[in-house]
Amino acid sequence: MSLQELLSAVAECRAAFARGCAEASEVRALEEVRVAFMGRKGQLAGLRAKITTLEGEERKHFGAAVNELQKFSQQQLNSRRRDLQRAAIEAKLREERADIDLPVIDRDERGTLHPVSLMRQKLHDIFTKLSFSVLEGPDVDYEDFNFNKLNIPAHHPARDMQDTFYLASKDEEERLLLRTHTSNVQVHALSEHRPPLRVISMGRCFRCDFDLTHTPMFHQIEGFVVDEAISFAHLKGTIDTFLRAIYGDGLRTRFRPSYFPFVEPGAEVDIGCVACDAQKLAAGKEPPPEARVGCRVCKHSGWLEVGGCGMIHPNVFEAMDIDSERYSGFAFGFGLDRMAMLYYGINDLRTLFAAPPEFNARLPIFA
Ligand code: FA5
């Protein structure tokens, strides 16, 4: 073959190789192109074998053309291989993509605040409007704050009413416990601040209790006012006001004499059963007498107990170095969970803190 023919064979080989590379749609196809052109028996090897058929300048010229073709082919091959490999990885990533985003939840399907938190917010709003300050108290406290300074010394039978979780402690004098009521905040507030005081505090309490209306962890709101000339009328007015703000204007309340060592006199507060009266009250009507009594929630008594209250005992003032001749005060403690339960029509207090039924089914206690 003449030099001219050999050079046009190089040009054809170059164009065919470039086309072959461009048309190869995956690495394996490209490898076939490589073998056909650059393999031991490929077109490039065939052209290289022709070098020896030429002499002198022609041989040099053709040899350079073959070397240039070899270099060009190698570059083409590398660049196309890189592109195909990248495309293959991207396709694989697209195919195997895991969608780790949470699906957008429809507004109607979103959760809401827990009923106890909602009740807490309502009470917060009512009492801040009545100019009460809001204090926090510790969940873990000393026996002194939970009991002794509230006129409940060790071995007082009133301790039996609050089955207590004590914490292991080396110090017998200063035993730690999970507070059984929010009344410990009275002690903290009165030892840190001087009267006049108008305080509420809401938080967790703990007792070894478990039935339809009792849980080992529950919530209370404590309220107390200390000033000169505070009377039971202030106590009654405050309680009536906040209960009516929650359950409606027609709500009936009842104060039943009761005993708490840290108040004198003391009372338990009942409200007219909201389950029986609820619909009539919501419609703003005075329910007829027969509609007031008689449902399972109030055990057919027409009344539901929601908390305790009373006038702060002089012994409590004295333990806090407050002149009980000059100052008087009232205090109350209500179960937030009980209030939420009655407000939202929940018939088992334990469901407030339980997992969904499918989880509960596995717990023998709920089975
Ligand atoms: C007290 O805890 C007093 N500290 C209340 C008080 C404060 C009286 C200030 C006088 C002055 P009592 O043990 O009755 O009282 O509890 C008050 C309310 O807490 C109950 O009416 C009930 O609503 C709620 N409660 C008590 N134990 C539990 C429990 N285990 N689970 C759910 N709610 C509870």
Side-chain angles (χ1 to χ4, degrees):
M1 281 171 91
S2 71
L3 175 64
Q4 213 46 50
E5 286 168 334
L6 286 171
L7 287 177
S8 44
V10 167
E12 267 169 39
C13 181
R14 182 188 176 101
F17 184 72
R19 212 171 34 250
C21 284
E23 283 169 4
S25 56
E26 53 179 26
V27 175
R28 198 178 304 155
L30 185 67
E31 183 58 14
E32 283 168 18
V33 175
R34 185 194 72 78
V35 172
F37 283 86
M38 299 170 74
R40 248 181 336 116
K41 294 181 186 159
Q43 289 186 32
L44 194 60
L47 287 171
R48 193 172 287 289
K50 295 276 190 306
I51 296 174
T52 50
T53 63
L54 298 170
E55 296 291 335
E57 277 307 302
E58 284 195 343
R59 182 174 178 158
K60 215 169 149 186
H61 189 69
F62 180 64
V66 172
N67 284 345
E68 200 278 328
L69 176 60
Q70 161 107 36
K71 205 169 150 199
F72 165 81
S73 307
Q74 196 59 57
Q75 280 169 354
Q76 281 284 106
L77 189 76
N78 291 347
S79 142
R80 184 68 183 146
R81 189 184 284 134
R82 259 199 313 277
D83 288 351
L84 289 174
Q85 281 171 341
R86 191 176 310 125
I89 290 170
E90 277 167 12
K92 196 158 193 248
L93 284 176
R94 258 197 314 279
E95 194 181 299
E96 294 176 359
R97 181 166 180 266
D99 185 0
I100 56 165
D101 294 340
L102 277 176
V104 175
I105 299 173
D106 202 283
R107 182 172 277 275
D108 295 341
E109 287 176 9
R110 274 184 221 163
T112 173
L113 285 178
H114 191 276
V116 175
S117 305
L118 292 171
M119 182 52 68
R120 206 174 157 144
Q121 282 183 348
K122 281 185 206 297
L123 288 164
H124 185 279
D125 289 352
I126 294 167
F127 279 103
T128 46
K129 278 188 194 130
L130 293 173
S131 306
F132 277 69
S133 313
V134 183
L135 292 185
E136 290 285 323
D139 293 357
V140 177
D141 210 348
Y142 290 106
E143 193 175 15
D144 218 26
F145 287 81
N146 195 81
F147 288 130
N148 299 339
K149 289 201 165 119
L150 284 170
N151 205 25
I152 318 177
H155 314 301
H156 192 292
R159 285 207 184 186
D160 294 346
M161 295 192 293
Q162 304 189 354
D163 200 348
T164 310
F165 296 108
Y166 285 93
L167 275 77
S169 142
K170 288 190 190 125
D171 192 345
E172 270 298 304
E173 292 298 305
E174 285 209 293
R175 278 210 290 176
L176 277 170
L177 47 74
L178 298 182
R179 70 169 169 189
T180 55
H181 51 182
T182 43
S183 298
N184 66 336
V185 181
Q186 286 184 44
V187 184
H188 285 282
L190 292 173
S191 36
E192 284 161 31
H193 309 279
R194 297 290 89 182
L197 279 179
R198 201 185 284 201
V199 170
I200 58 154
S201 182
M202 293 182 270
R204 281 181 289 264
C205 304
F206 307 84
R207 294 183 198 174
C208 190
D209 282 343
F210 193 74
D211 63 34
L212 274 179
T213 50
H214 294 85
T215 45
M217 189 284 302
F218 59 101
H219 301 80
Q220 281 189 345
I221 174 170
E222 190 81 8
F224 50 93
V225 171
V226 181
D227 204 342
E228 293 176 11
I230 295 295
S231 73
F232 203 92
H234 294 116
L235 166 63
K236 202 162 179 298
T238 307
I239 289 178
D240 281 350
T241 303
F242 93 79
L243 287 176
R244 290 202 177 118
I246 290 173
Y247 295 104
D249 279 342
L251 185 81
R252 295 167 302 136
T253 53
R254 180 169 82 170
F255 290 74
R256 234 177 337 104
S258 185
Y259 176 68
F260 300 97
F262 38 96
V263 289
E264 180 58 39
E268 238 144 358
V269 182
D270 297 336
I271 60 175
C273 178
V274 286
C276 317
D277 287 354
Q279 287 183 14
K280 297 276 187 319
L281 288 171
K285 290 184 200 146
E286 176 68 10
E290 66 276 13
R292 291 186 168 185
V293 180
C295 80
R296 281 170 60 212
V297 178
C298 60
K299 300 197 183 87
H300 302 280
S301 71
W303 295 100
L304 298 161
E305 182 207 311
V306 280
C309 66
M311 300 305 294
I312 298 177
H313 199 290
N315 289 355
V316 175
F317 282 137
E318 267 149 42
M320 249 72 78
D321 255 346
I322 290 172
D323 182 356
S324 62
E325 296 290 320
R326 181 174 168 199
Y327 290 107
S328 55
F330 69 75
F332 59 84
F334 283 62
L336 282 186
D337 323 276
R338 204 66 77 74
M339 290 182 70
M341 183 182 167
L342 299 173
Y343 188 83
Y344 293 106
I346 299 163
N347 55 15
D348 184 341
L349 192 92
R350 294 172 298 188
T351 55
L352 287 174
F353 309 115
E358 58 270 27
F359 291 103
N360 288 343
R362 291 192 226 130
L363 298 175
I365 208 158
F366 284 104

